[in-house]
């Protein structure tokens, strides 16, 4: 295989000068691969020389989001997969817990996503003066319950586009913010020692379907 798929933990950055990152985790996995495994991969690539496998980012997950993340082990592999993401030929599904009891029907959110005019980290729904970029999210309710005395729903989210913070902003705008989202809800005002504080943002990248070309 030319690819590495990992289960990203929540609250881990993609890369950078930090103790724990996805990049470092992937590098450790590749370094631990057996010699026989790397030789088999070299034969699969039909290369005249043994390539140097180095994980390369293909897509991103937010710091607080966990779940399936795909990396390319060669420059060509990363390029091939990245083009499929750019052409929207991939299918992603997320699981989320959201505040409130969302009605039982398929919800489609198509509001533009724009940079927040006052906060450089946040995103917001586009307006006439700040239109942003087109975005589309499909939300399918699964079940309903309570968490720490508050109504919550479990949903499957299917982003058709991949704007920054798209799922979080679309759900916030719909009145069903994601449980534990420290950026867009008051959960961020609670200390971790507060019993009312969720242990993490309840957003998990559950499935990834990508039509990789034959090699």
């Amino acid at each position: 295989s030319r690819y590495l798929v990992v289960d990203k933990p929540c609250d881990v950055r993609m890369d950078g000068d930090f103790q724990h990152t996805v990049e470092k985790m992937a590098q450790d996995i590749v370094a631990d691969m057996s010699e026989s495994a790397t030789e088999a991969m070299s034969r699969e690539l039909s290369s005249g020389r043994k390539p140097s496998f180095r994980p390369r980012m293909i897509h991103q997950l937010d710091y607080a989001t966990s779940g399936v993340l795909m990396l390319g082990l060669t420059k060509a592999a990363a390029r091939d997969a990245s083009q499929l993401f750019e052409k929207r030929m991939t299918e992603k599904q997320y699981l989320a817990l959201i505040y409130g009891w969302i009605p039982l029907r398929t919800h489609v959110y198509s509001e533009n996503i724009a940079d927040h005019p006052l906060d450089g980290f946040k995103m917001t729904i586009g307006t006439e003066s700040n239109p942003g970029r087109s975005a589309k999210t499909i939300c399918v309710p699964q079940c309903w319950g309570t968490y720490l005395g508050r109504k919550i729903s479990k949903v499957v989210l299917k982003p058709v586009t991949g704007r920054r913070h798209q799922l979080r902003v679309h759900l916030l705008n719909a009145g069903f913010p994601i449980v534990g989202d420290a950026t867009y809800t008051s959960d961020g005002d609670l200390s971790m020692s507060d019993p009312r504080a969720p242990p993490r943002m309840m957003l998990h990248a559950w499935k990834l379907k990508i039509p990789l070309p034959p090699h």
Side-chain angles (χ1 to χ4, degrees):
S1 175
R2 300 185 297 158
Y3 299 96
L4 175 67
V5 178
V6 300
D7 183 7
K8 176 191 174 295
C10 64
D11 300 339
V12 171
R13 291 176 173 83
M14 295 293 294
D15 51 21
D17 188 18
F18 303 97
Q19 182 178 1
H20 301 290
T21 66
V22 171
E23 182 180 51
K24 290 180 180 178
M25 178 174 67
Q27 289 171 348
D28 289 343
I29 293 173
V30 171
D32 289 341
M33 292 172 64
S34 67
E35 183 69 16
S36 60
T38 55
E39 288 178 357
M41 293 166 69
S42 298
R43 289 194 298 270
E44 183 180 325
L45 290 171
S46 302
S47 174
R49 60 183 177 82
K50 185 175 179 178
S52 174
F53 294 106
R54 180 173 67 83
R56 292 168 168 83
M57 300 297 178
I58 294 172
H59 61 121
Q60 303 278 326
L61 290 179
D62 291 343
Y63 166 76
T65 304
S66 61
V68 60
L69 187 72
M70 184 179 186
L71 301 96
L73 292 179
T74 67
K75 186 176 181 180
R79 180 197 63 232
D80 291 346
S82 295
Q83 290 175 350
L84 296 175
F85 277 91
E86 292 170 2
K87 295 176 181 178
R88 299 181 186 174
M89 296 177 66
T90 63
E91 180 182 322
K92 294 174 283 185
Q93 295 187 31
Y94 292 72
L95 290 174
L97 294 182
I98 58 176
Y99 284 120
W101 285 350
I102 192 168
L104 178 58
R105 66 173 186 271
T106 297
H107 302 257
V108 179
Y109 307 124
S110 55
E111 298 85 3
N112 283 16
I113 301 293
D115 293 331
H116 197 287
L118 302 176
D119 189 320
F121 180 74
K122 288 184 176 182
M123 305 300 286
T124 188
I125 295 296
T127 62
E128 184 175 348
S129 60
N130 181 29
R133 302 174 68 187
S134 62
K136 184 177 180 181
T137 301
I138 299 171
C139 174
V140 184
Q142 302 296 304
C143 56
W144 299 261
T146 60
Y147 177 71
L148 298 177
R150 296 183 63 178
K151 295 179 178 179
I152 62 168
S153 305
K154 178 181 177 181
V155 297
V156 170
L157 302 172
K158 302 176 182 180
V160 179
T161 54
R163 310 304 180 206
R164 184 170 181 268
H165 294 186
Q166 173 181 316
L167 303 179
R168 300 159 70 179
V169 173
H170 269 166
L171 286 164
L172 175 68
N173 183 67
F176 302 100
I178 295 176
V179 174
D181 190 338
T183 300
Y184 294 103
T185 76
S186 59
D187 288 341
D189 299 330
L190 302 174
S191 68
M192 291 305 297
S193 60
D194 193 314
R196 298 171 299 168
R200 55 161 293 184
M201 183 173 72
M202 302 299 185
L203 180 61
H204 178 75
W206 181 37
K207 293 183 179 181
L208 171 63
K209 183 178 180 180
I210 179 168
L212 293 172
H215 181 77

